[in-house]
Amino acid sequence: MIALLEARQAGLWGRAHWARNLVAGLIVGVVALPLALAFAIASGVKPEHGLYTAIVASLAVSLFGGTRLQIAGPTGAFVVILAGVTAKYGFAGLQVATLMAGCILLALGLARLGTVIKYIPYPVITGFTSGIALIIFIGQWRDFFGLHPVAGGEHFHEKLQQLILAFPGLHLTTTALACFSLAVLLISPRIFKRIPAPLVAMSLATALQAFFDFDGVATIGSAFGGIPQSLPSFSPPDLSFADIMRLVGPAFTIALLGAIESLLSAVVADGMAGTRHDPNQELIGQGVANVLAPLFGGFAATGAIARTATGIRNGATSPLTGITHALTLVLIIVLLAPLATYIPLCALAAILFVVAWNMSELPHFLRLLRTAPRSDVLILLITFGLTVFGDLVIAVNVGVILSSLLFMRRMAQSVEVVEHPLADEAGDSKQLPPGVVVYRIDGPFFFGAVEKLEGILQSIQSRMQVLVLHLGNVPFIDATGLRVLTELQNNCRKRGTRLILTEMRANVFGKLQRTGLIAEVGADNVFERVDDCLARLAES
């Protein structure tokens, strides 16, 4: 259900809730200001595009999303992907990729695939978020230290090498101002508990730069010419078939990562506020946001965990918080845009240092390395390594595929095909009629487990006249399992062995019936209880 309507039904649009949501939205808007600027610059676009993204996406998600407390906008997780798209295809290409990603998210939501995203394993999520955090951290060295690395190299290790070689030429004033900003970010939460640390750090660094006019310190004004004192206008990007085809890969990457982060943010919001989100509607809301954002000068957006949590901690109860957050950014652009000229890029780099640290989840990463099973540790390290040194799409795909293969291996190992021990009412073993063998399958009978049945039956088929398969512990059977049972029936018929199936669940029976196996086995060879089967065999 759309969160806007849900909040109305819950009475959260009443005047009693206005004050707390307006205050929460104002605070979140102030928090979002430096982050939107920093994420835009780190993504390779002008800072005002980050503000436009936050405004449009926040309004769209608040109006159409599946959780009434979600705050959307540009986030750190997107920085690596968006910077790569911008460098290769330009800002116009980034807008096209965002628009396509929005359409993909809409399709996922309408297809009700919101619950599928949660099945991505935790080691995969931790691996690629930690990898992204490292890339963001290293990527901000240039602005933090005022470096001038030699251009060249698309890969992480090449960029890192260029930054290290450029370190002897670091700008001392820029580095000192950046370290001051970083210190403020770490200390101010203990002093100014109600004022966002990024705003304090950015404001103090901007004031110092405006007053002293430090020579050689890069600012938004010197790098981008400032921020226009106007609202975004409708400007649809040019679409061509060639653009669509070459941007399909980046669009799917943006959509996948946006879906994961927005739903993770919704889960965090549920845990903090005791709400319950609609994952499919949330994907629809995120899809609308990413369709509209590039039409008004923005780029990719998703649910922002930190800003959503900030709103909840300050009393947010309804989508009014997200709407107020967007209107706050509008007022900042209209009234305070000229002041952005003095914002030092090194202060924004310091903010992204803290963002990268929070994204890295280093304690969780190290805990997984120490305590997780070796297979999960392997997936974690492979995903992390591919994210940093390869490509995020490949990293996620490989991580999910490896996790799936390991899961299937574990499932196959958990399936047992054992000779069924039958007992009477006193608990003593029953004596089976001569030539009768009873086997029980425990677990899902899928392609990874059929080998066990094939191996056991090859060793016993020569000595049995009647084979009874107890299927009561088989929750499902796939096409490979059906094929193996069909081949088993054919082999039994050639050898003159009678095959009997007992205690099948309704779904398993239905599949066997649709494939015609029940008809081949014969209704006389299908029993609801194994005891009834043995009693009939004893009479014959």
Side-chain angles (χ1 to χ4, degrees), residues 40 440 540:
R440 185 186 71 228
S540 59

Side-chain angles (χ1 to χ4, degrees), residues 95 97 238 280 304 356 367 373 382 391 393 421 439 443 458 481:
Q95 289 184 301
D238 294 329
N280 298 309
R367 188 179 303 113
I382 289 175
D391 180 83
V393 181
Y439 266 80
Q458 285 177 1

Side-chain angles (χ1 to χ4, degrees), residues 88-272:
K88 191 171 184 179
Y89 304 106
F91 182 56
L94 175 59
Q95 289 184 301
V96 173
T98 300
L99 183 61
M100 293 168 61
C103 295
I104 294 169
L105 286 168
L106 278 171
L108 291 175
L110 293 172
R112 308 193 66 79
L113 295 176
T115 56
V116 175
I117 303 297
K118 67 181 181 182
Y119 294 119
I120 296 180
Y122 181 64
V124 176
I125 294 176
T126 302
F128 78 71
T129 52
S130 298
I132 290 172
L134 178 61
I135 296 174
I136 293 174
F137 174 69
I138 300 298
Q140 294 306 305
W141 284 8
R142 183 181 64 179
D143 290 336
F144 190 92
F145 298 105
L147 303 177
H148 297 283
V150 179
E154 295 182 1
H155 301 291
F156 173 81
H157 66 280
E158 295 171 336
K159 294 178 181 178
L160 178 60
Q161 182 182 16
Q162 295 299 332
L163 287 169
I164 293 174
L165 292 175
F167 251 102
L170 66 83
H171 192 263
L172 291 177
T173 307
T174 299
T175 303
L177 189 57
C179 291
F180 169 77
S181 302
L182 185 59
V184 172
L185 283 166
L186 300 177
I187 296 172
S188 66
R190 305 174 187 175
I191 303 173
F192 308 106
K193 299 186 182 298
R194 302 290 295 180
I195 304 177
L199 179 66
V200 176
M202 186 184 74
S203 300
L204 290 178
T206 302
L208 289 173
Q209 176 62 27
F211 184 79
F212 291 105
D213 192 19
F214 297 119
D215 185 42
V217 174
T219 65
I220 286 181
S222 64
F224 303 100
I227 294 177
Q229 200 171 1
S230 61
L231 296 179
S233 59
F234 180 76
S235 55
D238 294 329
L239 286 174
S240 66
F241 183 75
D243 290 336
I244 292 174
M245 293 306 297
R246 66 179 180 170
L247 290 169
V248 167
F252 269 100
T253 305
I254 293 170
L256 175 62
L257 190 55
I260 293 171
E261 188 165 6
S262 64
L263 294 180
L264 284 176
S265 180
V267 170
V268 171
D270 288 347
M272 294 181 67

